[in-house]
Amino acid sequence: MTANLILDPLIPMLALYALGAVAVVTICYGLWRGLAGWALRGLAAIALLAALANPSLQREDRAPLSDIVIAVVDESASQRIGVRPDQSAAALARVEDEIAALPNTELRIIRLGDGEGDSGTQLMLALSEAMAEEPRARIAGAILITDGQAHDIGLTPDLPAPLHVLLTGQAQDWDRRLVIKNAPGFAILGEAVTLTLRIDDQGAVPADVAGSANISIAIDGGEMQSYRVPVGEDLELPVTLPHGGMNVLQFQVEVNEGELTDRNNGAVVQINGVRDRLRVLLVSGEPHAGERVWRNLLKSDPSVDLVHFTILRPPEKQDGIPASELSLIAFPTRELFVEKIDEFDLIIFDRYRLRGILPNAYLDNVRDYVKRGGTVLVAAGPEFGSADSLWRSSLGEIMPVTATSRVFEQGFTPALTDLGKRHPVTEGLEKLAPQGGWGRWFRQIGLEQIAGQLVMTGIDGAPLLVLDRVGEGRIAVLGSDHMWLWGRGFEGGGPQLELLRRLAHWMMKEPDLEEEALVAAANGQRLTVTRRTILDAPPPVTITAPDGTTSELVLPEVAPGRYSAGWDAPEMGLYKLTQGDLSTVMALGPSAPKEFEETIASADKLQPVVTPMRGGILRIEEGTPDIRTVGMGRVAAGRGWIGITPREAYVTEDIRIAALLPAWLWLLMAAGLTLTGWLVEGRRARTANP
């Protein structure tokens, strides 16, 4: 129980101050006049003012409150490597025992995991939130069990007690990391783009591994190629992308024995490959209504350079006109089909027939061009079944069809085969049909499939569109020249532009139109895995996490030829997905998160925070410290010990207030003193005047 003297004035304090001033003036006046009772009158004034101030005695019954010590245990990713988990557990157990041995002291334990996104270790934020839940007057100290790699030092709270750090890690720790200093988001196909890499060593690096390291590089999950490179120097790596679309470049530094972690030894760079200009050669055998279909498609794309070669006058037409007057300029057939044929991304033969304009040697070049990786599309007309059919040239050796020499002149509606409903070129085209279905075509060339993939059929299921791969290249044969009817909207038309666009992009090897592909996309920590296939249902996908653990994901069919499922990744980092012969990699956040940018335990970041708060930083490997109580403002750390400051907080259970003296007693005292002063002054006056 404690007692305090308080005032509860009967009048406003301003009025009390005014009365006090009047009393002082009156007493001073009596002193100046030499009145014998000035002192008694002053005491009477004080008694009267005290009565008006109403002094009271306040008695409180207080119950002491325990002191609170906050322990923040860092359990982020960097604290889960090496011996750090065991060190943290041992240090926390010692702190619990020491706090339990102190009287009237409680321990609050806060466990801190990985920060949201790639924010790193939010150590000070966790401490601030823990302090906000406790009365500030009861906080006697805070203890951080961490490796010292905090990423929110600017959020350090104002702690009313000492702050201590118990540092995990070992003096012999060392680590090697790969840093991607510069990587573009896109690059032009065929042109080299420069990436800047750097390999850095941290900590106590052994002499036998310092100086250089092996780095392996792979594109799109392919075979790794290794190189020996120096450590601690910027490396400029020129890269030429192999294909359009997203190219995934994977870098992996060799893991040495004794490294803290291999999580920062790898990195993934995703570069979108774009074509500068697409060069297309269109060879039209004769003018017809469908010729403009190809021209409109190719000229509508500003990134396409189109070279259109049209035979307007066949050689068999004899009208006496000199050959030199048949064209404005000589067509450079040798330049196109011999010297610069490899510069074209796509060659289209539209109703072309053998008339001797292109020598057989040129067509041999086209055949070899396809085998080397080129692409050819044959749009067949009635000439395809004749004696001068392109099929009868050397180009026919790589065609997936043979000509039957029949031409069907009747209405029919193109249809997708079962394979066509799954193939990326034609998948989902039936959903683009107008009301009433696709419009009819009225001519089909007789074909027999001998290879490749049949994706569209016509009259009585006869082949209409056949795709095939030859060597490194691709070839396609369209057995009708009436696709232009869809473009004109006849009987509602059909997906003409979409089909031709997909067909052209498939032939130019766009990754999004590959038949067999394993694709992963990330949205935060959610990984969406998609498998495109024209075969049977694929096996489960094996997902290898950054820490080496594996899990399997079954992909249900969501559309013909398309299997997809979502998967919540447990942490950020580099994931490898494998399904049969296909594999890909995906980085959630950076492949080496901020947690692994600096993995060596260090007190450098926390020292400027701990010192002003009179705390200490002690390495756990040197022994867990004792905990003592120290006075406010005293140094709270020493060799082998740390201190907390008792706060002596309390809660008031009962308050009793009683007047110091009754009001009538104050008035009686004031009256008695006044009367005594008057008597003293009267006696002195009689003595002075007998």
Side-chain angles (χ1 to χ4, degrees):
M1 184 180 69
T2 61
N4 297 308
L5 187 64
I6 62 173
L7 298 179
D8 185 19
L10 301 177
I11 61 176
M13 288 299 297
L14 186 60
L16 190 62
Y17 292 150
L19 291 176
V22 172
V24 171
V25 171
T26 303
I27 293 172
C28 291
Y29 177 75
L31 180 61
W32 176 67
R33 291 292 306 273
L35 299 178
W38 68 271
L40 295 172
R41 293 182 182 274
L43 292 175
I46 292 174
L48 183 60
L49 291 174
L52 294 175
N54 190 23
S56 302
L57 189 63
Q58 177 179 288
R59 293 181 174 85
E60 297 181 2
D61 292 334
R62 297 177 177 178
L65 296 177
S66 60
D67 295 322
I68 295 176
V69 177
I70 299 175
V72 180
V73 184
D74 182 1
E75 295 181 347
S76 59
S78 63
Q79 275 284 90
R80 297 195 291 269
I81 58 179
V83 299
R84 296 179 186 180
D86 294 336
Q87 287 182 325
S88 296
L92 180 60
R94 179 58 182 269
V95 168
E96 289 179 309
D97 292 342
E98 290 288 315
I99 295 298
L102 294 176
N104 202 35
T105 306
E106 299 181 36
L107 181 65
R108 301 284 191 268
I109 300 175
I110 308 299
R111 299 184 182 273
L112 172 64
D114 292 328
E116 184 177 354
D118 190 33
S119 57
T121 303
Q122 302 295 299
L123 194 63
M124 295 306 169
L125 179 61
L127 179 60
S128 299
E129 292 177 348
M131 288 179 56
E133 297 180 0
E134 306 294 344
R136 184 179 178 85
R138 296 178 61 189
I139 297 177
I143 302 172
L144 308 179
I145 303 176
T146 177
D147 57 5
Q149 300 299 346
H151 301 98
D152 61 344
I153 298 299
L155 300 179
T156 303
D158 181 17
L159 194 69
L163 174 64
H164 305 287
V165 174
L166 301 184
L167 200 64
T168 60
Q170 297 176 304
Q172 69 271 23
D173 285 345
W174 75 280
D175 195 27
R176 174 168 287 169
R177 65 169 181 161
L178 173 65
V179 181
I180 305 296
K181 300 190 67 175
N182 175 51
F186 69 93
I188 297 174
L189 294 180
E191 296 184 9
V193 59
T194 300
L195 281 69
T196 304
L197 316 177
R198 184 181 179 91
I199 301 175
D200 285 331
D201 284 342
Q202 306 172 4
V205 184
D208 58 337
V209 300
S212 62
N214 288 328
I215 183 171
S216 301
I217 305 173
I219 299 180
D220 293 333
E223 183 178 355
M224 286 278 189
Q225 297 184 4
S226 297
Y227 305 90
R228 191 73 179 176
V229 298
V231 174
E233 299 179 11
D234 288 349
L235 307 174
E236 293 188 351
L237 177 66
V239 176
T240 301
L241 300 183
H243 60 76
M246 191 60 67
N247 293 257
V248 181
L249 281 69
Q250 182 180 359
F251 302 90
Q252 184 67 41
V253 176
E254 178 186 15
V255 180
N256 291 275
E257 184 179 356
E259 279 191 66
L260 273 179
T261 178
D262 61 357
R263 287 286 302 277
N264 50 10
N265 287 53
V268 169
V269 175
Q270 301 184 68
I271 305 178
N272 191 19
V274 296
R275 298 180 186 270
D276 183 19
R277 305 288 292 178
L278 300 177
R279 300 201 66 194
V280 179
L281 175 59
L282 174 61
V283 182
S284 298
E286 61 184 70
H288 67 102
E291 180 181 4
R292 186 165 293 276
V293 170
W294 300 107
R295 189 172 183 86
N296 289 345
L297 169 68
L298 298 171
K299 295 298 289 184
S300 64
D301 189 344
S303 66
V304 172
D305 283 338
L306 175 64
V307 178
H308 191 182
F309 173 21
T310 304
I311 302 173
L312 298 177
R313 179 181 180 275
E316 66 268 15
K317 183 177 182 180
Q318 301 296 329
D319 53 10
I321 300 176
S324 61
E325 298 181 7
L326 291 179
S327 62
L328 297 177
I329 59 173
F331 196 79
T333 53
R334 176 176 176 78
E335 181 181 359
L336 294 177
F337 290 94
V338 178
E339 299 174 0
K340 296 185 177 181
I341 187 172
D342 288 325
E343 295 181 5
F344 289 103
D345 298 294
L346 174 63
I347 298 177
I348 302 175
F349 288 96
D350 177 32
R351 291 195 58 173
Y352 180 82
R353 68 174 67 226
L354 301 176
R355 286 169 169 163
I357 296 177
L358 295 179
N360 288 335
Y362 289 5
L363 295 177
D364 291 345
N365 285 343
V366 175
R367 176 198 60 198
D368 297 338
Y369 154 79
V370 173
K371 292 181 179 180
R372 291 192 305 268
T375 57
V376 167
L377 171 61
V378 178
E383 79 293 333
F384 196 76
S386 64
D388 53 2
S389 169
L390 189 63
W391 169 72
R392 299 183 185 276
S393 70
S394 58
L395 199 57
E397 299 174 12
I398 60 173
M399 289 187 187
V401 297
T402 59
T404 64
S405 300
R406 298 184 63 185
V407 178
F408 300 94
E409 300 278 356
Q410 67 184 72
F412 71 94
T413 301
L416 300 181
T417 64
D418 291 339
L419 175 61
K421 293 177 181 179
R422 302 194 304 273
H423 199 286
V425 172
T426 50
E427 173 198 2
L429 286 182
E430 69 274 14
K431 299 178 182 178
L432 303 178
Q435 188 174 4
W438 291 340
R440 291 179 296 167
W441 297 358
F442 290 90
R443 180 185 292 153
Q444 183 174 355
I445 313 306
L447 302 175
E448 287 186 2
Q449 180 188 3
I450 59 175
Q453 304 162 344
L454 177 61
V455 295
M456 292 185 71
T457 58
I459 299 171
D460 296 330
L464 182 61
L465 178 59
V466 183
L467 314 176
D468 195 15
R469 298 169 184 262
V470 180
E472 299 295 326
R474 304 183 183 191
I475 189 169
V477 178
L478 177 63
S480 178
D481 60 344
H482 273 201
M483 184 177 286
W484 61 272
L485 290 171
W486 276 0
R488 299 284 181 86
F490 176 75
E491 294 184 347
Q496 171 203 2
L497 289 179
E498 180 63 16
L499 174 58
L500 295 181
R501 183 192 67 80
R502 290 191 195 177
L503 182 58
H505 284 217
W506 176 82
M507 301 196 69
M508 289 185 285
K509 305 176 183 179
E510 289 295 329
D512 291 342
L513 291 171
E514 290 296 311
E515 300 97 310
E516 301 295 328
L518 181 63
V519 182
N523 183 10
Q525 294 289 99
R526 182 74 172 177
L527 192 66
T528 302
V529 183
T530 303
R531 169 67 189 272
R532 293 195 305 270
T533 181
I534 58 176
L535 304 176
D536 297 331
V541 176
T542 301
I543 303 176
T544 304
D547 59 2
T549 59
T550 60
S551 56
E552 289 191 346
L553 178 64
V554 177
L555 304 182
E557 188 173 17
V558 295
R562 189 178 295 269
Y563 300 79
S564 183
W567 185 71
D568 291 321
E571 58 183 328
M572 294 185 297
L574 181 64
Y575 289 81
K576 183 175 182 180
L577 294 84
T578 306
Q579 188 181 63
D581 296 334
L582 297 178
S583 64
T584 187
V585 291
M586 173 58 62
L588 297 185
S591 56
K594 185 177 292 187
E595 280 290 321
F596 295 96
E597 288 181 359
E598 298 177 279
T599 56
I600 304 300
S602 172
D604 294 344
K605 293 182 179 179
L606 295 176
Q607 189 70 60
V609 175
V610 172
T611 300
M613 296 186 185
R614 306 173 309 282
I617 300 177
L618 288 80
R619 282 191 168 273
I620 297 176
E621 70 172 336
E622 297 175 356
T624 52
D626 298 330
I627 299 180
R628 308 174 184 176
T629 58
V630 298
M632 184 72 67
R634 300 285 299 276
V635 174
R639 182 166 183 170
W641 68 274
I642 57 177
I644 63 172
T645 303
R647 302 306 303 278
E648 299 180 354
Y650 62 88
V651 61
T652 301
E653 296 179 338
D654 186 31
I655 298 178
R656 299 185 300 277
I657 299 176
L660 185 62
L661 294 175
W664 61 267
L665 184 56
W666 288 110
L667 293 177
L668 182 60
M669 290 172 57
L673 290 170
T674 301
L675 180 59
T676 304
W678 176 72
L679 291 175
V680 169
E681 290 173 356
R683 181 179 302 172
R684 183 174 179 180
R686 288 194 299 271
T687 305
N689 299 293

